[in-house]
């Protein structure tokens, strides 16, 4: 039998003011934020610079999305209504990975770790397992399969019943989303050589279309997702189970489409930075390879008198015509 949760009606005011101190969510935020802060401190302590914008993206968009998904009213009401759970999952699957990837944690880790640790990290990133999981087509399929598996298998209802499975689902969503987003935005080479920035922009565009599929399927499905669980929540407020699921699918679709444009812009920004860095490196290489041609020695340095400069003919002509020109010349 499904347990019931006696919660007051989810109003607009409660949507912004209702929060919970979930230990798992807090631990995840503190762990990720602490590691990132440690890396930034290590880099700055060595006299190097680290982008403030990347730090803000990691903290505000990345960790902020994790906090909203696990601590806000979405997490409080996800066992009573479907649509908060749908928004919660899409935050962990799309928005949080985008914010974390914009912080470029892999480049930060490589610069902050000791030489041996950085070498191990680079070796792991170039290993076959990471290469397969981050391969663009495979990572896209994994994201789609994760969403469909959660909603159209007993996975989701089991997560609603079991707190440990619920937390595992959080990590599953966050990891699946990061497998696609992180390689697209990091400055580390995780993608195949053919995946240039124009190809990445095309893949991000196609991924935006794929991300819309779960929302459409959920919104139009004639079968209630976790219907036994949500029907047992005997509430006298809010939408009906059918309307609740349609609302959740619509929100999933809307958020997925809204995230696509900032993601595409971020890829174009990284493309521009990469081209600027490549041009600067090419200029430095050409400057280094340009031979220095020694200046030709002057006639005085070679021990010969300097040749007389060519003068107009009337100044050197000794005849009558030259004399007349010299008299009439200004």
């Amino acid at each position: 039998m499904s347990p019931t949760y006696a919660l007051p009606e989810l109003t607009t005011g409660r949507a912004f003011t209702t929060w919970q101190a979930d230990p798992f969510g807090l631990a995840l935020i503190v762990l990720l934020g602490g590691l990132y802060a440690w890396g930034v401190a290590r880099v700055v302590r060595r006299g190097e610079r680290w982008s403030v914008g990347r730090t803000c993206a990691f903290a505000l968009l990345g960790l902020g999305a994790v906090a909203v998904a696990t601590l806000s009213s979405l997490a409080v009401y996800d066992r009573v209504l479907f649509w908060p759970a749908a928004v919660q999952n899409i935050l962990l699957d799309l928005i949080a990975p985008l914010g974390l990837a914009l912080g470029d944690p892999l480049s930060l880790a490589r610069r902050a770790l000791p030489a041996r640790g950085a070498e191990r990290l680079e070796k792991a990133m170039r290993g076959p397992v990471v290469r397969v999981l981050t391969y663009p087509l495979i990572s896209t399929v994994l994201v789609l399969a994760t969403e469909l598996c959660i909603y159209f298998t007993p996975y989701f209802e089991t997560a609603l019943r079991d707190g440990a499975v619920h937390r595992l689902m959080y990590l599953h969503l966050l990891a699946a989303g990061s497998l696609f987003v992180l390689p697209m935005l990091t400055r580390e080479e995780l993608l195949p050589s053919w995946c240039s920035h124009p190809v990445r922009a095309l893949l991000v565009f196609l991924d935006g279309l794929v991300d819309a599929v779960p929302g459409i399927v959920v919104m139009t499905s004639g079968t209630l997702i976790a219907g036994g669980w949500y029907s047992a929540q005997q509430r006298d407020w809010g939408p009906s189970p059918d309307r609740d699921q349609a609302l959740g699918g619509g929100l999933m679709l809307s958020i997925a489409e809204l995230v696509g444009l900032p993601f595409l812009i971020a890829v174009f920004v990284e493309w521009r930075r990469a081209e600027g860095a490549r041009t600067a490196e090419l200029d430095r290489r050409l400057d280094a390879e340009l031979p220095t041609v020694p200046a030709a020695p002057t006639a005085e340095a070679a021990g010969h008198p300097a040749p007389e400069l060519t003068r107009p003919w009337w100044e050197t002509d000794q005849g009558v015509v030259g004399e007349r020109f010299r008299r009439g010349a200004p």
Side-chain angles (χ1 to χ4, degrees):
M1 181 176 179
S2 302
T4 58
Y5 291 81
L7 293 175
E9 181 179 1
L10 179 56
T11 61
T12 303
R14 290 194 180 101
F16 289 99
T17 59
T18 303
W19 293 77
Q20 67 173 9
D22 178 59
F24 177 80
L26 290 172
L28 184 61
I29 293 169
V30 170
L31 177 62
L32 295 177
L35 289 174
Y36 196 89
W38 173 83
V40 173
R42 287 267 299 181
V43 170
V44 173
R45 194 179 300 123
R46 289 203 302 259
E48 302 176 14
R49 297 183 60 185
W50 184 256
S51 171
V52 176
R54 290 190 179 277
T55 304
C56 291
F58 187 91
L60 299 180
L61 184 59
L63 298 182
V66 174
V68 172
T70 60
L71 306 177
S72 74
S73 59
L74 298 176
V76 174
Y77 281 85
D78 63 349
R79 287 179 169 85
V80 177
L81 291 169
F82 174 79
W83 74 259
V87 174
Q88 180 187 47
N89 291 349
I90 210 74
L91 284 174
L92 292 171
D93 190 33
L94 293 181
I95 297 181
L98 178 60
L100 298 178
L102 286 173
D104 201 1
L106 294 180
S107 294
L108 178 63
R110 183 179 55 80
R111 291 173 58 180
L113 288 171
R116 182 174 298 180
E119 183 179 351
R120 290 177 179 173
L121 175 64
E122 185 172 357
K123 184 178 179 180
M125 289 190 298
R126 299 182 184 278
V129 176
V130 175
R131 288 293 189 182
V132 170
L133 291 178
T134 58
Y135 194 81
L137 300 179
I138 294 177
S139 59
T140 300
V141 171
L142 286 175
V143 173
L144 178 60
T146 295
E147 289 281 355
L148 296 179
C149 175
I150 284 176
Y151 294 118
F152 295 99
T153 68
Y155 191 170
F156 182 62
E157 187 164 354
T158 304
L160 294 174
R161 298 176 184 275
D162 191 323
V165 178
H166 207 166
R167 295 180 178 92
L168 177 63
M169 186 181 71
Y170 288 165
L171 292 178
H172 186 182
L173 288 163
L174 191 61
S178 298
L179 285 176
F180 179 81
V181 178
L182 190 59
M184 291 289 173
L185 297 179
T186 185
R187 287 174 289 183
E188 302 299 316
E189 293 298 330
L190 294 180
L191 297 174
S193 57
W194 57 265
C195 197
S196 60
H197 280 88
V199 175
R200 295 183 192 188
L202 177 61
L203 290 172
V204 169
F205 175 76
L206 294 176
D207 182 72
L209 301 179
V210 173
D211 288 338
V213 172
I216 295 174
V217 174
V218 168
M219 186 169 52
T220 59
S221 175
T223 303
L224 284 178
I225 298 173
W229 173 275
Y230 285 115
S231 298
Q233 308 304 312
Q234 299 173 353
R235 51 182 173 81
D236 55 359
W237 51 266
S240 65
D242 291 335
R243 176 60 181 164
D244 184 23
Q245 181 168 317
L247 179 60
L251 289 171
M252 290 172 60
L253 176 61
S254 301
I255 296 173
E257 293 306 305
L258 288 175
V259 171
L261 181 58
F263 192 3
L264 192 60
I265 292 174
V267 170
F268 277 108
V269 170
E270 291 298 326
W271 183 4
R272 180 181 177 184
R273 288 176 179 172
E275 288 298 323
R278 188 177 296 111
T279 301
E281 178 62 25
L282 181 59
D283 290 341
R284 286 193 296 268
R285 188 182 304 172
L286 291 176
D287 291 341
E289 294 177 356
L290 187 65
T292 303
V293 180
T298 61
E300 290 85 348
H304 302 289
E308 184 178 359
L309 297 177
T310 303
R311 301 170 66 186
W313 65 269
W314 61 80
E315 292 186 5
T316 58
D317 185 78
Q318 300 300 322
V320 177
V321 178
E323 180 67 22
R324 289 181 178 178
F325 263 90
R326 285 193 292 273
R327 288 179 182 176

